[in-house]
């Protein structure tokens, strides 16, 4: 049986701003009736997609439906990100009363410039049709989350179904201790010449309050291990070929599968541990690597990431084709020696 691991829905907030306005709230329109309720494909951070409103004539709800994103299911294939659909049954009186409450009049005082994400709640009738539950808003046009949450509390979860799965961590990557994906392009490309001006000039600040009252904390950035410092490196291999993307493979028991398209993403294809001789060869190549002969920004077909797995150390990325870059310390880009590429590709 898969294990469902709950996760939290975080409500994002922007900076606080002061505004002032006053106007009478407009009467909400009747809710749009849909033939079938679906939680699949929902954007939990996309705000209100519309369609919510007051109870339309002729619609007789018998239960509520709650869409629950950001859940995790683990099985033999790995860890899946899922969207759950919960059917809530019981006395709907409190929920119907709450969603029918009028909006508050616009506030004349200050309003915080925040973005509150209201969970997606539906009412369903005996035929399976649905309407989006309306959230009354306060004087700052923010949804009254507590009002609807409290109205849902007396209801019981009668049925839970998965409506969407995305394979976030394949089992092979979990077992190998590798990230499921890796950026196929360096986050920052810098030549040694660009970095020379900084050598020996960066000092860790002492913890002391600034004029703003914020204290700085000394932090040493991760670095590539020196030759001989570690005896083994974990090799994680990745491919930018779309066939390596595990999210395109349907999972049993799910109604809908979501795929995420990211420019420059590479997917895990395998992993192994380097022995002492291979590790020394990698670290020596990284320590003596030279700048690329000419600029290149081609997307590699395959690459490997080499990591000591120790706190404070940075991984080494080596492209096996394309530009054949070697990236160390996250910021420095060099040319990968042909012998190193040949050894890692084998």
């Amino acid at each position: 049986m898969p294990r469902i691991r709950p996760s939290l829905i975080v409500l994002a907030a922007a900076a606080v701003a002061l505004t002032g306005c006053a106007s009478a709230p407009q009467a909400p329109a009747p809710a749009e009736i849909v033939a079938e309720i679906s939680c699949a494909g929902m954007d939990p951070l996309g705000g209100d997609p519309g369609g919510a409103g007051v109870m339309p004539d002729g619609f007789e709800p018998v239960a509520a439906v709650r869409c629950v994103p950001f859940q995790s299911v683990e099985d033999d294939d790995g860890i899946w990100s899922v969207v759950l659909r919960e059917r809530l049954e019981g006395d709907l009186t409190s929920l119907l009363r709450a969603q029918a409450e009028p909006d508050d009049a616009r506030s004349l005082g200050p309003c915080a410039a925040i973005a509150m994400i209201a969970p997606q709640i539906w009412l369903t009738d005996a035929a399976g049709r649905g309407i989006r539950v309306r959230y009354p808003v306060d004087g700052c046009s923010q949804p009254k989350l507590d009002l609807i949450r409290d109205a849902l509390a007396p209801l019981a979860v009668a049925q839970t179904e998965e409506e969407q799965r995305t394979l976030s961590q394949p089992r092979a990557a979990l077992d190998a201790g590798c990230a499921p994906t890796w950026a196929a392009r360096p986050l920052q490309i810098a030549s040694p010449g660009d970095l020379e001006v900084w050598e020996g000039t960066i000092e860790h600040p002492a913890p002391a309050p600034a004029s703003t009252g914020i204290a700085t904390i000394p932090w040493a950035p991760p670095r590539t291990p020196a030759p001989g410092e570690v005896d083994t490196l974990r090799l994680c291999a990745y491919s930018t070929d779309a066939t390596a993307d595990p999210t395109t493979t349907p999972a049993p028991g799910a109604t809908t599968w979501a795929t995420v398209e990211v420019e420059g993403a590479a997917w895990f294809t395998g992993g192994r541990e380097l022995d002492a001789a291979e590790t020394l060869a990698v670290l020596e190549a990284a320590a003596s690597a030279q700048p690329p002969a000419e600029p290149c920004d081609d997307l590699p077909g395959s690459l490997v990431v080499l990591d000591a797995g120790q706190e404070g150390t940075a991984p080494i990325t080596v492209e096996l084709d394309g530009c054949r870059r070697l990236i160390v310390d996250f910021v420095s880009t060099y040319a990968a020696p042909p012998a190193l590429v040949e050894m890692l590709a084998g």
Side-chain angles (χ1 to χ4, degrees):
M1 288 287 293
R3 303 195 303 274
I4 297 179
R5 304 190 300 188
S7 55
L8 297 177
I9 298 178
V10 180
L11 302 182
V16 174
L18 299 182
T19 61
C21 54
S23 62
Q26 295 182 348
E32 175 187 353
I33 300 177
V34 299
E36 184 179 2
I37 299 171
S38 176
C39 296
M42 63 175 288
D43 181 1
L45 301 180
D48 186 358
V54 296
M55 187 72 65
D57 294 337
F59 188 84
E60 298 182 3
V62 297
V65 172
R66 176 168 55 198
C67 297
V68 188
F70 307 128
Q71 304 301 295
S72 294
V73 170
E74 183 171 355
D75 59 17
D76 291 342
D77 293 323
I79 296 177
W80 301 81
S81 174
V82 304
V83 176
L84 299 180
R85 169 187 169 130
E86 295 179 337
R87 181 182 174 91
L88 308 175
E89 296 182 352
D91 187 355
L92 299 175
T93 303
S94 296
L95 180 59
L96 297 178
R97 184 186 303 117
Q99 70 94 31
E101 283 196 7
D103 295 338
D104 293 347
R106 288 291 296 171
S107 173
L108 290 173
C111 288
I114 61 177
M116 300 183 66
I117 308 302
Q120 191 176 121
I121 310 295
W122 298 79
L123 289 167
T124 183
D125 65 8
R129 300 182 305 165
I131 64 169
R132 279 283 304 276
V133 168
R134 168 184 165 270
Y135 283 79
V137 299
D138 61 20
C140 291
S141 297
Q142 297 299 331
K144 296 182 178 181
L145 302 179
D146 292 346
L147 178 69
I148 300 300
R149 181 198 63 194
D150 294 344
L152 289 171
L155 303 180
V157 178
Q159 186 177 11
T160 300
E161 298 176 321
E162 288 183 26
E163 284 213 4
Q164 181 173 295
R165 274 191 172 198
T166 303
L167 187 57
S168 58
Q169 298 185 60
R171 174 58 57 191
L174 287 170
D175 293 344
C178 297
T181 62
W182 199 262
R185 296 187 188 277
L187 296 179
Q188 181 177 355
I189 302 175
S191 67
D194 295 331
L195 298 178
E196 284 178 357
V197 295
W198 296 100
E199 291 182 359
T201 63
I202 299 180
E203 297 180 359
H204 300 311
S211 59
T212 59
I214 299 175
T216 58
I217 300 176
W219 174 76
R223 59 175 182 80
T224 300
E229 185 176 346
V230 296
D231 295 328
T232 184
L233 291 171
R234 179 190 299 116
L235 181 150
C236 300
Y238 298 89
S239 172
T240 58
D241 192 314
T243 59
D245 182 359
T247 63
T248 59
T249 302
T255 305
T256 303
W257 295 268
T259 59
V260 180
E261 296 183 1
V262 180
E263 173 66 24
W267 297 278
F268 173 81
T269 58
R272 65 184 180 91
E273 297 289 326
L274 300 188
D275 60 27
E278 293 173 315
T279 297
L280 181 60
V282 169
L283 296 181
E284 287 180 341
S288 60
Q290 299 299 311
E294 57 185 23
C296 177
D297 194 33
D298 294 341
L299 193 70
S302 58
L303 56 92
V304 296
V305 178
L306 306 138
D307 192 358
Q310 296 182 0
E311 184 177 356
T313 60
I316 302 168
T317 301
V318 179
E319 299 174 348
L320 303 182
D321 52 27
C323 299
R324 296 196 172 187
R325 290 169 289 207
L326 184 152
I327 300 101
V328 299
D329 299 340
F330 293 111
V331 296
S332 301
T333 302
Y334 301 94
L340 176 66
V341 173
E342 182 179 357
M343 181 188 78
L344 297 177

